[in-house]
Coordinates of all heavy atoms in Angstrom, one line a residue:
P1 N 104.1 41.2 -95.7 CA 104.7 40.7 -96.9 C 105.9 41.6 -97.3 O 106.6 41.2 -98.2 CB 103.6 40.9 -98.0 CG 102.6 41.8 -97.4 CD 102.8 41.7 -95.9
L2 N 106.2 42.7 -96.6 CA 107.3 43.5 -97.0 C 108.6 42.9 -96.7 O 109.7 43.2 -97.3 CB 107.2 44.9 -96.4 CG 106.0 45.7 -96.8 CD1 105.9 47.0 -96.1 CD2 105.9 45.9 -98.3
V3 N 108.7 42.0 -95.7 CA 109.9 41.3 -95.4 C 110.0 39.9 -95.8 O 111.0 39.2 -95.6 CB 110.2 41.5 -93.9 CG1 110.5 42.9 -93.5 CG2 109.1 40.9 -93.0
D4 N 108.9 39.4 -96.3 CA 108.8 38.0 -96.7 C 109.5 37.8 -98.1 O 109.5 38.7 -98.9 CB 107.3 37.6 -96.9 CG 107.1 36.1 -96.9 OD1 108.1 35.3 -96.7 OD2 106.0 35.7 -97.1
S5 N 110.1 36.7 -98.3 CA 110.7 36.4 -99.6 C 110.8 34.9 -99.7 O 110.8 34.1 -98.7 CB 112.1 37.0 -99.7 OG 113.0 36.4 -98.9
G6 N 110.9 34.4 -101.0 CA 111.0 33.0 -101.2 C 109.6 32.4 -101.4 O 108.6 33.0 -101.7
F7 N 109.5 31.1 -101.1 CA 108.3 30.3 -101.3 C 107.3 30.6 -100.2 O 107.7 30.6 -99.0 CB 108.6 28.8 -101.4 CG 107.3 28.1 -101.7 CD1 106.8 28.1 -103.0 CD2 106.7 27.3 -100.8 CE1 105.6 27.4 -103.3 CE2 105.5 26.6 -101.0 CZ 105.0 26.6 -102.3
S8 N 106.1 30.9 -100.5 CA 105.1 31.2 -99.5 C 104.0 30.1 -99.7 O 103.2 30.1 -100.7 CB 104.4 32.6 -99.8 OG 103.5 32.9 -98.8
P9 N 104.0 29.1 -98.8 CA 103.0 28.1 -98.9 C 101.6 28.6 -98.7 O 101.3 29.5 -97.9 CB 103.4 27.1 -97.8 CG 104.2 27.8 -96.9 CD 104.8 29.0 -97.6
S10 N 100.6 28.0 -99.4 CA 99.2 28.4 -99.4 C 98.4 27.2 -99.5 O 98.8 26.1 -100.0 CB 98.9 29.4 -100.5 OG 99.7 30.5 -100.5
K11 N 97.1 27.3 -99.1 CA 96.2 26.2 -99.3 C 94.8 26.8 -99.7 O 94.3 27.7 -99.1 CB 96.0 25.5 -97.9 CG 95.1 24.3 -98.0 CD 94.9 23.7 -96.7 CE 95.8 22.5 -96.5 NZ 95.4 21.7 -95.3
L12 N 94.3 26.3 -100.8 CA 93.0 26.7 -101.4 C 92.2 25.4 -101.6 O 92.7 24.5 -102.3 CB 93.2 27.4 -102.7 CG 93.7 28.9 -102.6 CD1 93.9 29.4 -104.0 CD2 92.7 29.7 -101.9
K13 N 91.0 25.4 -101.1 CA 90.1 24.2 -101.3 C 90.8 22.9 -100.9 O 90.8 21.9 -101.5 CB 89.7 24.1 -102.8 CG 88.7 25.1 -103.2 CD 88.2 24.8 -104.6 CE 86.9 25.4 -104.9 NZ 86.4 25.0 -106.2
N14 N 91.5 23.0 -99.7 CA 92.2 21.9 -99.1 C 93.3 21.3 -100.0 O 93.7 20.2 -99.9 CB 91.3 20.8 -98.7 CG 90.4 21.2 -97.6 OD1 90.9 21.9 -96.6 ND2 89.1 20.9 -97.6
V15 N 93.8 22.1 -101.0 CA 94.9 21.7 -101.8 C 96.2 22.6 -101.5 O 96.1 23.8 -101.5 CB 94.6 21.9 -103.3 CG1 95.8 21.6 -104.2 CG2 93.4 21.1 -103.7
E16 N 97.2 21.9 -101.2 CA 98.5 22.6 -100.9 C 99.0 23.2 -102.1 O 99.0 22.6 -103.2 CB 99.5 21.6 -100.3 CG 99.1 20.9 -99.0 CD 99.1 21.8 -97.8 OE1 99.9 22.8 -97.8 OE2 98.3 21.5 -96.9
S17 N 99.5 24.4 -102.0 CA 100.0 25.2 -103.1 C 100.9 26.3 -102.6 O 101.4 26.2 -101.5 CB 98.8 25.7 -104.0 OG 99.3 26.2 -105.2
G18 N 101.1 27.3 -103.4 CA 101.9 28.4 -103.0 C 102.5 29.2 -104.2 O 102.2 28.9 -105.3
F19 N 103.4 30.1 -103.8 CA 104.0 30.9 -104.8 C 105.3 31.5 -104.3 O 105.5 31.5 -103.1 CB 103.0 32.0 -105.3 CG 102.4 32.8 -104.1 CD1 103.0 33.9 -103.6 CD2 101.2 32.4 -103.6 CE1 102.5 34.6 -102.5 CE2 100.6 33.1 -102.5 CZ 101.3 34.1 -102.0
E20 N 106.1 32.1 -105.2 CA 107.2 32.8 -104.8 C 106.9 34.3 -104.5 O 106.0 34.9 -105.2 CB 108.3 32.8 -105.9 CG 108.8 31.4 -106.1 CD 109.8 30.9 -105.1 OE1 110.5 31.7 -104.5 OE2 109.7 29.7 -104.8
I21 N 107.5 34.9 -103.5 CA 107.2 36.3 -103.2 C 108.5 37.0 -103.0 O 109.5 36.5 -102.4 CB 106.3 36.4 -102.0 CG1 105.9 37.9 -101.7 CG2 106.9 35.8 -100.8 CD1 104.8 38.1 -100.6
V22 N 108.6 38.2 -103.4 CA 109.7 39.1 -103.2 C 109.2 40.6 -103.2 O 108.3 40.9 -103.9 CB 110.8 38.9 -104.3 CG1 110.4 39.3 -105.6 CG2 112.1 39.6 -103.9
S23 N 109.8 41.4 -102.3 CA 109.4 42.8 -102.3 C 110.6 43.7 -102.4 O 111.8 43.3 -102.2 CB 108.6 43.1 -101.0 OG 109.5 42.9 -99.9
G24 N 110.3 44.9 -102.8 CA 111.4 45.9 -102.9 C 110.8 47.3 -103.1 O 109.5 47.4 -103.2
P25 N 111.6 48.3 -103.2 CA 111.1 49.7 -103.5 C 110.3 49.8 -104.8 O 110.7 49.2 -105.8 CB 112.3 50.5 -103.6 CG 113.4 49.7 -102.9 CD 113.0 48.3 -103.1
A26 N 109.1 50.4 -104.7 CA 108.3 50.6 -105.8 C 109.0 51.4 -107.0 O 108.8 51.1 -108.1 CB 107.0 51.4 -105.5
Q27 N 109.9 52.2 -106.6 CA 110.6 53.0 -107.6 C 111.5 52.1 -108.5 O 111.8 52.4 -109.6 CB 111.5 54.1 -106.9 CG 110.7 55.2 -106.2 CD 109.8 55.9 -107.2 OE1 110.2 56.3 -108.3 NE2 108.5 56.0 -106.8
D28 N 111.9 50.9 -108.0 CA 112.7 50.0 -108.8 C 111.8 49.5 -110.0 O 112.4 49.3 -111.1 CB 113.1 48.8 -108.0 CG 114.2 49.2 -107.0 OD1 114.7 50.3 -107.0 OD2 114.6 48.3 -106.2
I29 N 110.5 49.4 -109.8 CA 109.6 48.9 -110.9 C 109.6 50.0 -112.0 O 109.5 49.6 -113.2 CB 108.2 48.7 -110.4 CG1 108.2 47.4 -109.5 CG2 107.2 48.6 -111.4 CD1 108.5 46.1 -110.4
L30 N 109.7 51.2 -111.6 CA 109.6 52.3 -112.6 C 110.7 52.3 -113.6 O 110.6 52.9 -114.7 CB 109.4 53.6 -111.9 CG 108.1 53.8 -111.2 CD1 108.1 55.1 -110.5 CD2 106.9 53.6 -112.1
Q31 N 111.8 51.7 -113.3 CA 113.0 51.6 -114.2 C 112.6 50.9 -115.5 O 113.0 51.2 -116.6 CB 114.2 51.0 -113.5 CG 114.7 51.8 -112.4 CD 115.9 51.1 -111.7 OE1 116.3 50.0 -112.1 NE2 116.3 51.6 -110.6
N32 N 111.7 49.9 -115.3 CA 111.3 49.1 -116.5 C 109.9 49.4 -117.0 O 109.5 49.1 -118.1 CB 111.4 47.6 -116.2 CG 112.8 47.1 -115.9 OD1 113.7 47.5 -116.6 ND2 112.9 46.3 -114.9
Y33 N 109.1 50.0 -116.1 CA 107.7 50.3 -116.5 C 107.4 51.8 -116.1 O 106.6 52.1 -115.3 CB 106.8 49.4 -115.7 CG 107.1 47.9 -115.9 CD1 107.8 47.2 -115.0 CD2 106.7 47.3 -117.1 CE1 108.1 45.8 -115.2 CE2 106.9 46.0 -117.3 CZ 107.6 45.2 -116.4 OH 107.9 43.9 -116.6
T34 N 108.0 52.6 -116.9 CA 107.9 54.1 -116.6 C 106.4 54.6 -116.7 O 106.0 55.5 -116.1 CB 108.8 54.9 -117.5 OG1 108.5 54.6 -118.9 CG2 110.3 54.6 -117.2
H35 N 105.7 53.9 -117.6 CA 104.3 54.3 -117.8 C 103.4 54.1 -116.5 O 102.3 54.5 -116.5 CB 103.7 53.6 -119.0 CG 103.5 52.1 -118.8 ND1 104.6 51.2 -118.8 CD2 102.4 51.3 -118.6 CE1 104.2 50.0 -118.6 NE2 102.9 50.0 -118.5
L36 N 103.9 53.4 -115.5 CA 103.2 53.2 -114.3 C 103.3 54.3 -113.2 O 102.8 54.2 -112.1 CB 103.6 51.9 -113.6 CG 103.2 50.6 -114.4 CD1 103.7 49.4 -113.7 CD2 101.7 50.5 -114.6
A37 N 104.1 55.3 -113.5 CA 104.4 56.3 -112.5 C 103.2 57.0 -111.9 O 103.1 57.1 -110.7 CB 105.3 57.4 -113.2
K38 N 102.2 57.3 -112.7 CA 101.0 57.9 -112.2 C 100.2 56.9 -111.3 O 99.7 57.3 -110.3 CB 100.1 58.5 -113.3 CG 100.5 59.8 -113.8 CD 99.5 60.3 -114.8 CE 99.7 61.8 -115.1 NZ 98.7 62.3 -116.0
T39 N 100.2 55.7 -111.8 CA 99.4 54.6 -111.1 C 100.1 54.3 -109.8 O 99.4 54.2 -108.7 CB 99.3 53.4 -112.0 OG1 98.7 53.7 -113.2 CG2 98.5 52.3 -111.3
I40 N 101.4 54.2 -109.7 CA 102.1 53.9 -108.5 C 102.0 55.0 -107.5 O 101.9 54.9 -106.3 CB 103.5 53.4 -108.8 CG1 103.5 52.1 -109.5 CG2 104.4 53.4 -107.5 CD1 104.9 51.6 -109.9
A41 N 102.1 56.2 -108.1 CA 102.0 57.5 -107.3 C 103.0 57.5 -106.2 O 104.2 57.3 -106.4 CB 100.6 57.7 -106.8
D42 N 102.5 57.6 -104.9 CA 103.4 57.7 -103.8 C 103.6 56.4 -103.0 O 104.0 56.4 -101.9 CB 102.9 58.8 -102.8 CG 101.5 58.5 -102.3 OD1 100.9 57.6 -102.8 OD2 101.1 59.2 -101.4
R43 N 103.2 55.3 -103.6 CA 103.4 54.0 -103.0 C 104.9 53.7 -102.8 O 105.7 53.9 -103.7 CB 102.7 52.9 -103.8 CG 101.2 53.0 -103.7 CD 100.5 52.0 -104.6 NE 99.1 52.0 -104.5 CZ 98.3 52.9 -105.2 NH1 98.9 53.8 -106.0 NH2 97.0 52.8 -105.1
D44 N 105.2 53.1 -101.7 CA 106.6 52.9 -101.4 C 107.2 51.5 -101.8 O 108.3 51.4 -102.1 CB 106.9 53.0 -99.9 CG 106.7 54.4 -99.4 OD1 106.9 55.4 -100.1 OD2 106.2 54.6 -98.2
W45 N 106.3 50.5 -101.8 CA 106.8 49.1 -102.0 C 106.1 48.4 -103.2 O 104.9 48.7 -103.5 CB 106.5 48.3 -100.7 CG 107.4 48.7 -99.6 CD1 107.1 49.6 -98.6 CD2 108.7 48.3 -99.4 NE1 108.2 49.8 -97.8 CE2 109.2 49.0 -98.3 CE3 109.6 47.5 -100.1 CZ2 110.5 48.8 -97.8 CZ3 110.9 47.3 -99.7 CH2 111.3 48.0 -98.5
C46 N 106.9 47.5 -103.7 CA 106.3 46.6 -104.8 C 106.5 45.2 -104.2 O 107.6 44.8 -103.8 CB 107.2 46.8 -106.0 SG 106.7 45.6 -107.3
I47 N 105.4 44.5 -104.2 CA 105.5 43.0 -103.9 C 105.2 42.2 -105.1 O 104.2 42.4 -105.8 CB 104.4 42.7 -102.8 CG1 104.6 43.6 -101.6 CG2 104.4 41.3 -102.5 CD1 103.5 43.6 -100.6
S48 N 106.2 41.4 -105.5 CA 106.1 40.6 -106.7 C 105.8 39.2 -106.4 O 106.4 38.6 -105.4 CB 107.4 40.7 -107.5 OG 107.6 42.0 -107.9
F49 N 104.9 38.6 -107.1 CA 104.5 37.2 -106.9 C 105.0 36.4 -108.2 O 104.8 36.9 -109.3 CB 103.0 37.0 -106.8 CG 102.5 37.7 -105.6 CD1 101.6 38.7 -105.7 CD2 102.8 37.3 -104.3 CE1 101.1 39.4 -104.6 CE2 102.3 37.9 -103.2 CZ 101.4 38.9 -103.3
R50 N 105.5 35.2 -108.1 CA 105.8 34.4 -109.2 C 105.1 33.0 -109.0 O 105.1 32.5 -107.9 CB 107.3 34.2 -109.3 CG 108.0 35.4 -109.7 CD 109.5 35.0 -110.0 NE 110.3 36.3 -109.9 CZ 111.1 36.5 -108.9 NH1 111.3 35.7 -107.9 NH2 111.7 37.7 -108.8
W51 N 104.6 32.5 -110.0 CA 104.0 31.2 -110.0 C 104.4 30.4 -111.2 O 104.7 30.9 -112.2 CB 102.5 31.3 -109.8 CG 101.7 32.0 -110.9 CD1 101.6 33.3 -111.1 CD2 101.1 31.3 -112.0 NE1 100.9 33.6 -112.3 CE2 100.6 32.4 -112.8 CE3 100.8 30.0 -112.4 CZ2 99.9 32.1 -114.0 CZ3 100.1 29.8 -113.6 CH2 99.6 30.8 -114.3
G52 N 104.3 29.1 -111.1 CA 104.6 28.2 -112.3 C 103.4 28.0 -113.1 O 102.4 28.8 -113.1
G53 N 103.3 26.9 -113.8 CA 102.2 26.6 -114.7 C 101.0 26.0 -114.0 O 100.0 25.7 -114.7
D54 N 101.0 25.8 -112.7 CA 99.9 25.2 -112.0 C 98.8 26.3 -111.7 O 99.1 27.3 -111.1 CB 100.5 24.7 -110.7 CG 99.4 23.9 -109.8 OD1 98.6 24.6 -109.2 OD2 99.5 22.7 -109.8
L55 N 97.6 25.9 -112.1 CA 96.5 26.9 -111.9 C 96.1 27.1 -110.4 O 95.6 28.2 -110.0 CB 95.2 26.5 -112.6 CG 95.4 26.6 -114.2 CD1 94.1 26.1 -114.9 CD2 95.7 28.1 -114.5
N56 N 96.5 26.2 -109.5 CA 96.3 26.4 -108.1 C 97.2 27.5 -107.6 O 96.9 28.3 -106.8 CB 96.5 25.1 -107.3 CG 95.3 24.2 -107.4 OD1 94.2 24.5 -107.3 ND2 95.7 22.9 -107.7
E57 N 98.5 27.5 -108.1 CA 99.4 28.5 -107.8 C 98.9 29.9 -108.3 O 99.0 30.9 -107.6 CB 100.8 28.2 -108.4 CG 101.5 27.0 -107.7 CD 102.8 26.7 -108.4 OE1 103.2 27.4 -109.3 OE2 103.4 25.6 -108.0
C58 N 98.4 29.9 -109.5 CA 97.9 31.1 -110.1 C 96.7 31.7 -109.2 O 96.7 32.8 -108.9 CB 97.4 30.8 -111.5 SG 96.7 32.3 -112.3
A59 N 95.8 30.8 -108.8 CA 94.7 31.2 -107.9 C 95.2 31.8 -106.6 O 94.7 32.8 -106.1 CB 93.8 30.0 -107.7
C60 N 96.3 31.2 -106.1 CA 96.9 31.7 -104.8 C 97.4 33.1 -105.0 O 97.2 34.0 -104.2 CB 98.0 30.8 -104.3 SG 97.4 29.2 -103.7
V61 N 98.1 33.3 -106.1 CA 98.7 34.7 -106.4 C 97.6 35.7 -106.6 O 97.6 36.8 -106.1 CB 99.6 34.6 -107.7 CG1 99.9 36.0 -108.2 CG2 100.9 33.9 -107.3
L62 N 96.5 35.3 -107.4 CA 95.4 36.2 -107.6 C 94.7 36.5 -106.3 O 94.3 37.7 -106.1 CB 94.5 35.6 -108.7 CG 95.1 35.5 -110.1 CD1 94.2 34.7 -111.0 CD2 95.2 36.9 -110.7
A63 N 94.5 35.5 -105.5 CA 93.8 35.8 -104.2 C 94.7 36.7 -103.3 O 94.1 37.6 -102.6 CB 93.5 34.4 -103.5
A64 N 96.0 36.4 -103.2 CA 96.8 37.3 -102.4 C 96.8 38.7 -102.9 O 96.8 39.7 -102.2 CB 98.3 36.7 -102.4
S65 N 96.9 38.8 -104.3 CA 96.8 40.2 -104.9 C 95.5 40.9 -104.6 O 95.5 42.1 -104.3 CB 97.0 40.1 -106.4 OG 98.3 39.5 -106.7
A66 N 94.4 40.1 -104.6 CA 93.1 40.7 -104.3 C 93.1 41.2 -102.9 O 92.5 42.3 -102.6 CB 92.0 39.7 -104.6
G67 N 93.6 40.4 -102.0 CA 93.7 40.9 -100.6 C 94.4 42.2 -100.4 O 94.0 43.1 -99.7
L68 N 95.6 42.3 -101.1 CA 96.4 43.5 -101.0 C 95.7 44.7 -101.6 O 95.7 45.8 -101.1 CB 97.7 43.3 -101.6 CG 98.7 42.4 -100.9 CD1 99.9 42.1 -101.7 CD2 99.1 43.0 -99.5
V69 N 95.0 44.5 -102.8 CA 94.2 45.5 -103.4 C 93.1 46.0 -102.5 O 92.9 47.2 -102.3 CB 93.7 45.1 -104.8 CG1 92.6 46.0 -105.3 CG2 94.8 44.9 -105.8
K70 N 92.4 45.0 -101.9 CA 91.2 45.4 -101.1 C 91.6 46.0 -99.8 O 91.0 47.0 -99.4 CB 90.3 44.2 -100.8 CG 89.1 44.5 -100.1 CD 88.2 43.3 -100.0 CE 86.9 43.7 -99.2 NZ 85.9 42.7 -99.3
L71 N 92.6 45.4 -99.1 CA 92.9 45.9 -97.8 C 93.9 47.0 -97.7 O 94.0 47.8 -96.7 CB 93.4 44.7 -96.9 CG 92.4 43.5 -96.8 CD1 93.1 42.4 -96.1 CD2 91.2 44.0 -96.0
C72 N 94.8 47.1 -98.7 CA 95.9 48.1 -98.7 C 95.9 49.1 -99.8 O 96.8 50.0 -99.9 CB 97.2 47.3 -98.7 SG 97.4 46.1 -97.4
G73 N 94.9 49.0 -100.7 CA 94.9 49.9 -101.8 C 96.0 49.7 -102.8 O 96.4 50.6 -103.5
A74 N 96.5 48.5 -102.8 CA 97.6 48.1 -103.7 C 97.2 48.2 -105.2 O 96.0 48.2 -105.5 CB 98.1 46.7 -103.4
V75 N 98.2 48.3 -106.0 CA 98.0 48.2 -107.5 C 98.4 46.8 -107.9 O 99.6 46.4 -107.6 CB 98.8 49.3 -108.2 CG1 98.7 49.1 -109.7 CG2 98.3 50.7 -107.8
A76 N 97.6 46.1 -108.6 CA 98.0 44.7 -109.1 C 98.3 44.9 -110.6 O 97.4 45.2 -111.4 CB 96.8 43.8 -108.9
F77 N 99.5 44.6 -111.0 CA 99.9 44.8 -112.4 C 100.5 43.5 -112.9 O 101.3 42.8 -112.2 CB 101.0 45.9 -112.4 CG 101.7 46.0 -113.7 CD1 101.0 46.5 -114.9 CD2 103.0 45.8 -113.9 CE1 101.6 46.6 -116.1 CE2 103.7 45.9 -115.1 CZ 102.9 46.4 -116.2
Y78 N 100.1 43.0 -114.0 CA 100.6 41.8 -114.7 C 101.4 42.3 -115.9 O 100.9 42.6 -116.9 CB 99.5 40.9 -115.1 CG 99.9 39.6 -115.7 CD1 100.8 38.8 -115.0 CD2 99.5 39.2 -117.0 CE1 101.2 37.6 -115.6 CE2 99.9 38.0 -117.5 CZ 100.7 37.2 -116.8 OH 101.2 36.0 -117.4
P79 N 102.8 42.3 -115.8 CA 103.6 42.8 -116.8 C 103.5 42.1 -118.1 O 103.7 42.7 -119.2 CB 105.0 42.8 -116.2 CG 104.9 41.9 -115.1 CD 103.5 41.8 -114.6
E80 N 103.3 40.8 -118.1 CA 103.3 40.0 -119.3 C 102.2 40.6 -120.3 O 102.5 40.6 -121.5 CB 102.9 38.5 -119.0 CG 103.1 37.6 -120.1 CD 104.5 37.3 -120.5 OE1 105.4 37.4 -119.6 OE2 104.8 36.9 -121.6
D81 N 101.1 41.0 -119.8 CA 100.0 41.6 -120.7 C 99.9 43.1 -120.5 O 98.9 43.6 -121.0 CB 98.7 40.9 -120.4 CG 98.7 39.4 -120.8 OD1 99.5 39.0 -121.7 OD2 97.9 38.6 -120.2
D82 N 100.8 43.7 -119.7 CA 100.7 45.1 -119.4 C 99.3 45.5 -118.9 O 98.6 46.4 -119.4 CB 101.0 46.0 -120.7 CG 101.3 47.4 -120.3 OD1 101.8 47.7 -119.2 OD2 101.1 48.3 -121.2
L83 N 98.8 44.7 -117.9 CA 97.5 44.8 -117.4 C 97.4 45.2 -116.0 O 98.1 44.6 -115.2 CB 96.8 43.4 -117.6 CG 95.4 43.2 -117.0 CD1 94.4 44.0 -117.8 CD2 95.1 41.7 -117.0
I84 N 96.6 46.2 -115.7 CA 96.4 46.6 -114.3 C 95.0 45.9 -113.9 O 94.0 46.2 -114.6 CB 96.4 48.1 -114.1 CG1 97.8 48.6 -114.3 CG2 95.9 48.4 -112.7 CD1 97.9 50.1 -114.3
Y85 N 95.0 45.1 -112.9 CA 93.8 44.4 -112.5 C 93.0 45.3 -111.5 O 93.6 45.9 -110.6 CB 94.2 43.1 -111.7 CG 94.5 41.9 -112.5 CD1 95.8 41.6 -112.9 CD2 93.5 41.0 -112.8 CE1 96.0 40.4 -113.6 CE2 93.7 39.9 -113.5 CZ 95.0 39.6 -113.9 OH 95.2 38.4 -114.6
D86 N 91.7 45.2 -111.6 CA 90.9 45.7 -110.5 C 90.5 44.6 -109.6 O 90.7 43.4 -109.9 CB 89.7 46.5 -111.0 CG 88.7 45.7 -111.8 OD1 88.6 44.4 -111.6 OD2 87.9 46.3 -112.5
L87 N 89.9 44.9 -108.5 CA 89.6 43.8 -107.5 C 88.7 42.8 -108.1 O 88.9 41.6 -107.9 CB 88.9 44.5 -106.3 CG 88.5 43.5 -105.2 CD1 89.7 42.7 -104.6 CD2 87.8 44.3 -104.1
H88 N 87.7 43.2 -108.8 CA 86.7 42.2 -109.4 C 87.3 41.2 -110.4 O 87.1 40.0 -110.4 CB 85.5 42.9 -110.0 CG 84.7 43.7 -108.9 ND1 84.0 43.1 -107.9 CD2 84.6 45.0 -108.7 CE1 83.5 44.0 -107.1 NE2 83.8 45.2 -107.6
R89 N 88.2 41.8 -111.2 CA 88.9 40.9 -112.1 C 89.8 39.9 -111.4 O 89.9 38.7 -111.8 CB 89.7 41.7 -113.2 CG 90.4 40.8 -114.2 CD 90.3 41.3 -115.5 NE 90.9 40.3 -116.5 CZ 91.5 40.6 -117.6 NH1 91.5 41.9 -118.0 NH2 91.9 39.7 -118.4
L90 N 90.5 40.4 -110.4 CA 91.4 39.4 -109.6 C 90.5 38.3 -109.0 O 90.9 37.1 -109.1 CB 92.1 40.2 -108.5 CG 93.2 41.1 -108.9 CD1 93.6 42.1 -107.8 CD2 94.4 40.3 -109.3
Q91 N 89.4 38.7 -108.5 CA 88.5 37.7 -107.8 C 87.9 36.7 -108.9 O 87.9 35.5 -108.7 CB 87.4 38.4 -107.1 CG 87.9 39.1 -105.9 CD 86.8 40.0 -105.2 OE1 85.9 40.6 -105.9 NE2 86.8 40.1 -103.9
D92 N 87.5 37.3 -110.0 CA 86.9 36.4 -111.1 C 88.0 35.5 -111.7 O 87.7 34.3 -111.9 CB 86.3 37.3 -112.2 CG 85.1 38.0 -111.8 OD1 84.5 37.7 -110.8 OD2 84.7 39.0 -112.6
D93 N 89.2 36.0 -111.9 CA 90.2 35.2 -112.5 C 90.7 34.1 -111.5 O 91.0 33.0 -111.9 CB 91.4 36.0 -113.0 CG 91.1 36.8 -114.2 OD1 90.0 36.6 -114.8 OD2 92.0 37.5 -114.7
A94 N 90.7 34.4 -110.2 CA 91.1 33.4 -109.2 C 90.0 32.3 -109.2 O 90.4 31.1 -109.1 CB 91.2 34.1 -107.8
K95 N 88.8 32.7 -109.2 CA 87.7 31.7 -109.3 C 87.8 30.9 -110.5 O 87.7 29.6 -110.5 CB 86.4 32.4 -109.2 CG 85.2 31.4 -109.2 CD 83.9 32.1 -109.1 CE 82.7 31.2 -109.0 NZ 82.7 30.1 -109.9
G96 N 88.1 31.5 -111.7 CA 88.3 30.8 -112.9 C 89.4 29.7 -112.8 O 89.3 28.6 -113.3
C97 N 90.5 30.1 -112.2 CA 91.6 29.1 -112.0 C 91.2 28.0 -111.1 O 91.5 26.8 -111.4 CB 92.8 29.8 -111.3 SG 93.7 31.0 -112.4
L98 N 90.5 28.3 -110.0 CA 90.0 27.2 -109.2 C 89.0 26.3 -109.9 O 89.1 25.1 -109.7 CB 89.4 27.8 -107.9 CG 90.3 28.4 -106.9 CD1 89.6 29.1 -105.8 CD2 91.3 27.4 -106.4
D99 N 88.1 26.9 -110.6 CA 87.1 26.1 -111.4 C 87.8 25.2 -112.4 O 87.4 24.0 -112.6 CB 86.1 27.0 -112.1 CG 85.2 27.7 -111.1 OD1 85.1 27.3 -109.9 OD2 84.5 28.7 -111.6
A100 N 88.9 25.7 -113.0 CA 89.6 24.9 -114.0 C 90.3 23.7 -113.4 O 90.6 22.7 -114.1 CB 90.6 25.8 -114.8
T101 N 90.6 23.8 -112.1 CA 91.4 22.7 -111.5 C 90.4 21.6 -111.0 O 90.9 20.5 -110.6 CB 92.3 23.2 -110.3 OG1 91.4 23.7 -109.3 CG2 93.3 24.2 -110.8
G102 N 89.2 21.9 -111.0 CA 88.2 20.9 -110.6 C 87.9 21.0 -109.1 O 87.4 20.4 -108.4

């Protein structure tokens, strides 16, 4: 994901979906979110996901974030609510999005 950018197609529950992805130096994030310095620590990269109003897209972003948290020790931050997600919340919220779509 460090070199990926643009739309990333995904499929959940046999439904085509996806999200926008962009990556860059983690230090760039600290310009706007200085309070994350301790949390980001020595991490080099920030991978940002964007999704529209579709809950399938939201579930894709949450699932991708959960994978990065679990496999890479990533930090999942939602700036809109100034929220740092843990793995369980990412998984629960992804399931909630999928349940809401039927």
Side-chain angles (χ1 to χ4, degrees):
L2 297 180
V3 296
D4 199 3
S5 67
F7 185 74
S8 183
S10 303
K11 185 185 260 190
L12 286 173
K13 289 186 153 183
N14 293 320
V15 175
E16 299 289 334
S17 189
F19 50 86
E20 296 286 326
I21 184 172
V22 65
S23 62
Q27 293 303 311
D28 290 354
I29 286 294
L30 294 178
Q31 292 175 8
N32 295 318
Y33 304 101
T34 56
H35 66 287
L36 293 177
K38 279 187 170 181
T39 304
I40 290 175
D42 62 349
R43 290 173 177 84
D44 294 326
W45 288 98
C46 173
I47 301 169
S48 298
F49 300 112
R50 289 188 204 106
W51 61 280
D54 182 286
L55 289 178
N56 285 314
E57 292 176 4
C58 180
C60 289
V61 165
L62 291 166
S65 297
L68 289 170
V69 166
K70 183 172 183 172
L71 299 173
C72 303
V75 173
F77 174 65
Y78 183 55
E80 190 75 24
D81 293 334
D82 196 28
L83 172 69
I84 295 175
Y85 276 93
D86 65 19
L87 177 60
H88 297 292
R89 178 140 187 206
L90 286 165
Q91 293 170 325
D92 289 346
D93 285 1
K95 183 180 182 318
C97 288
L98 290 174
D99 290 346
T101 63

